[in-house]
Each structure stands twice: as C-alpha cells, then as structure tokens.
C-alpha cells in the first residue's frame, strides 16, 4: 500500500532535515534570550514587555517558515491571505481590549 | 490548487490524461482538506486571541489573593517550553519520514512527539493541582479565572492532539501511507506546530511577564 512514487516525493518534499534543525536551533535561541532577559533583569517595564513580545513574534515567524512551510506555498497564496486575516483580527482584539480596558477607562 | 491549472495549462493537461488521478495537476481533495484545516487554525487564533486579551486585562485583578509572582514556577514553565519545542521538531522529522515513505520511522517519530506532549500535559496537570492545593482555584479571582481559561484551553488542545495522534498511529500501522493518511499526518503536524506557537505566547505573556 505504501506509495513512494517519484512524482509525489519530488513535488511535496517540504523542508529537509537541515531546515528543520535550523528552525529548531533558532527557536531554542529565541527562547533562551527572553529567559535571560527576565532572569538578568536587563530591561524594565515597557521596554521589557516590547522586547519579549518581539521575540515571541520572531519565534512565530520561525515556526511558520521552517516548520509550517508557509513560503513554499504556490500561487495564489490562500494560506498566507487567511493567516493575515487571522492576525489582523487577533491584533484588533488584543490591542483594542488593552487600549479600552487599561488606558482608556472613564470610571476608575 | 486551481490556479495551477491556469499557470501551466496545456502540457500538464495532456499529461493528466495519460495518468488520470496521478495527482500531478492536483486540485485534489486532500489538498483542499488541508486548506480547510488551515482555516480552522485561523479561527483558533481568534479564540486564543480573546483569551489572551481577557488575561491581559484581568491579570492584576487578584482580589487580594495570590498573584502571578506568588504562584508561578518559572523553571517548570521553561522545562515545558523546551519539551514542546522539541516535540514540534520531532513532529517535523516525522513529516520528513512521511515524505520519504518510511512508515516505521514515521510512526516512531510520531510516538516520540506524543510522548513529549504527554509529559507536557502531565507537568501542566501537576502545576494546576499544586495551585489548587494552595487555594488558587479558578473561582478565587478574575486573574485566576482568566489564567485557567487561557492555559487550560491550550492544554485541552494538546490533549485532543495526543488522542488524535495515537489514533493516527494506529491507522498508519493498519493502512500504511496512503494519500489520505498522508494528508492526516500533514494536518496534525500543522496543528502541533500551531500549539507550539500558542504556547510560546502563553509562556511569554503569562509566565515571563508575570514573574517580576
């Protein structure tokens, strides 16, 4: 039952051991940096929050490119378009809630 | 998908007639199902987005009860993070084995992925039990309600992924690598990487930013 015909493997061999290992190493580095930031007390307050979120976003990019093969997608980029829609809604929900509830309260 | 037909039209179509169903031009249903799953993941982003927003807004409302700094064990969260990152990597290697048609290796790497996921869930349950014993239950404060909802929903996703992965391993050993099981492995790997990404943000927002 196993199909290993050349047509399939040539077209769908997403990624390689090399790219997965690269992605894994990148994500480990991107995890160690924020941990070091917190334990080392290098940044405070907003700067720390922004740095941590940026590192998280980079981690997301690493996962998308090395593990989820977003850049291998053929045209038209439906996956990318729906991802952008999802992220826009995400940012609106999170940033909007924070803005209204944390910085814009009328009654305190 | 459909666009491919427009792009490389005539030569491919001729070839398809010679090999019907060879999947060469592939506007094939399995690929559409994978895309459908991707759409589901995008809706999952919105669920987690609302839970993250709720948590961020409510995290200081501890009602005199324990706060993030009193409750969280950062070392445990760091171990969990590396477990999940590693399982994401082993899941990727499973997909490589799939593409090479190596069934035994594929099942082995999936089993390792599931084992790492199971340890992750075990640690999480242990953490929750520990917190409840200290009186930090879900109904104690708005902060804790938001915390258990966010982290618990992620844990629930991982648990569902585990059950699904075990079922898929059984199906793979029974049926081997077919276009259908191939799609299922690809879909579960997307799911697993997605959960890894969500956990990275849970780790950052809840644990790293919670422990001052």
């Amino acid at each position: 039952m196993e199909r290993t015909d050349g047509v399939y493997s040539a077209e769908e061999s997403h990624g390689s051991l090399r790219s997965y290992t690269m992605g894994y190493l990148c994500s480990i580095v991107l995890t160690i940096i924020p941990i070091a930031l917190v334990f080392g007390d290098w940044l405070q307050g907003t700067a720390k929050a922004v740095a941590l979120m940026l590192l998280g976003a980079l981690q997301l990019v690493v996962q998308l490119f090395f593990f989820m093969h977003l850049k291998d997608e053929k045209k038209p980029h439906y996956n990318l378009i729906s991802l952008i829609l999802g992220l826009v809604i995400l940012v609106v929900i999170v940033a909007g809630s924070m803005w209204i509830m944390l910085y814009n309260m009328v009654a305190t | 998908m459909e666009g491919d037909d427009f792009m490389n039209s005539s030569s491919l179509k001729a070839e398809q007639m010679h090999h019907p169903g060879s999947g060469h031009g592939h506007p094939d249903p399995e690929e559409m199902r994978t895309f459908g799953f991707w759409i589901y993941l995008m809706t999952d982003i919105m669920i987690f987005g609302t839970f993250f927003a709720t948590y961020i807004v409510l995290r200081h409302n501890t009602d005199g009860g324990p706060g993030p700094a009193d409750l969280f064990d950062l070392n445990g969260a760091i171990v969990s993070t590396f477990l999940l990152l590693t399982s994401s990597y082993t899941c990727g290697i499973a997909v490589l084995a799939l593409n090479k048609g190596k069934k035994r290796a594929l099942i082995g790497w999936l089993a390792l992925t599931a084992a790492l996921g199971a340890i992750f869930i075990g640690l999480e349950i242990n953490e929750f039990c520990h917190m409840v014993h200290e009186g930090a239950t879900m109904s104690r404060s708005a902060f804790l309600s938001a915390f258990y909802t966010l982290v618990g929903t992620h844990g629930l996703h991982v648990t569902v992924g585990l059950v699904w992965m075990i079922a898929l391993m059984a199906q793979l050993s029974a049926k081997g690598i077919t276009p259908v099981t191939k799609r299922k492995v690809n879909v579960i790997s997307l799911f697993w990487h997605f959960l890894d990404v969500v956990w990275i943000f849970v780790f950052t927002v809840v644990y790293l930013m919670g422990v001052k």
Side-chain angles (χ1 to χ4, degrees), chain A residues 1-5 7-9 11-17 20-21 24 27-28 31-32 34-35 38-39 41 48-50 52-53 56-57 59-60 63-64 67-70 73-76 78-80 82-87 89-90 93-94 97-98 101-102, chain B residues 1 3-4 7 21-24 26 31 35 38-39 41-42 45-46 48-50 52-53 56-57 74-75 78 81-82 85-86 88-89 92-93 95-96 99-103 175-179 182 186 190 193-194 196-197 200-201 203-205 208-209 211-212:
Chain A
M1 281 295 276
E2 294 186 22
R3 317 186 47 147
T4 51
D5 42 327
V7 181
Y8 268 69
S9 52
E11 275 211 42
E12 296 180 27
S13 61
H14 283 326
S16 59
L17 188 61
Y20 275 109
T21 309
Y24 182 52
S27 61
I28 284 185
T31 307
I32 289 174
I35 293 171
V38 169
F39 275 107
D41 264 334
K48 186 170 91 172
V50 170
L52 290 179
M53 286 314 288
Q59 179 91 260
L60 165 71
Q63 295 271 335
L64 282 173
F67 289 178
M68 293 163 107
H69 312 296
L70 198 67
E73 195 193 357
K74 295 167 226 115
K75 280 185 181 176
Y78 291 128
N79 285 27
L80 182 64
S82 51
L83 175 70
I84 291 171
L85 174 66
L87 291 180
I89 294 176
L90 176 80
I93 291 173
V94 175
S97 303
M98 286 173 69
M101 298 302 293
L102 299 177
Chain B
M1 280 167 229
D4 285 304
M7 278 167 59
S22 71
H24 206 268
H26 55 245
E31 203 158 300
F35 180 61
W38 181 264
I39 300 285
L41 286 184
M42 297 307 110
I45 286 184
M46 297 168 203
F48 281 109
T50 45
F52 270 110
I56 293 167
V57 167
L74 198 51
N75 293 330
I78 290 170
T81 305
F82 282 109
L85 277 179
T86 308
S88 205
Y89 178 58
I93 296 178
V95 172
L96 287 181
N99 287 334
K100 287 179 188 154
K102 293 179 183 166
K103 184 176 115 176
K175 295 188 177 175
I177 299 176
T178 67
K182 185 169 185 169
N186 277 321
L190 281 179
H193 298 318
F194 170 77
D196 188 26
V197 171
I200 291 300
F201 282 94
F203 176 63
T204 306
V205 172
L208 284 180
M209 291 185 180
V211 184
K212 296 275 166 171

Side-chain angles (χ1 to χ4, degrees), chain B residues 53-128:
Chain B
T54 311
Y55 179 80
I56 293 167
V57 167
L58 293 176
R59 68 183 160 156
H60 300 298
N61 299 28
T62 55
D63 189 31
D70 311 316
L71 288 173
F72 298 154
D73 169 27
L74 198 51
N75 293 330
I78 290 170
V79 172
S80 298
T81 305
F82 282 109
L83 279 174
L84 216 54
L85 277 179
T86 308
S87 80
S88 205
Y89 178 58
T90 57
C91 190
I93 296 178
V95 172
L96 287 181
L98 168 79
N99 287 334
K100 287 179 188 154
K102 293 179 183 166
K103 184 176 115 176
R104 200 176 285 264
L106 165 62
I107 294 175
W109 285 110
L110 280 182
L112 183 58
T113 308
L116 289 167
I119 300 173
F120 172 87
I121 284 296
L123 285 177
E124 188 158 273
I125 291 172
N126 188 42
E127 188 201 9
F128 281 10

Side-chain angles (χ1 to χ4, degrees), chain B residues 43 51 97 165:
Chain B
T43 63
F51 288 159
M165 210 175 272

Side-chain angles (χ1 to χ4, degrees), chain B residues 152-165:
Chain B
T153 305
H154 177 268
L156 195 63
H157 275 75
V158 176
T159 312
V160 170
L162 281 181
V163 174
W164 182 11
M165 210 175 272

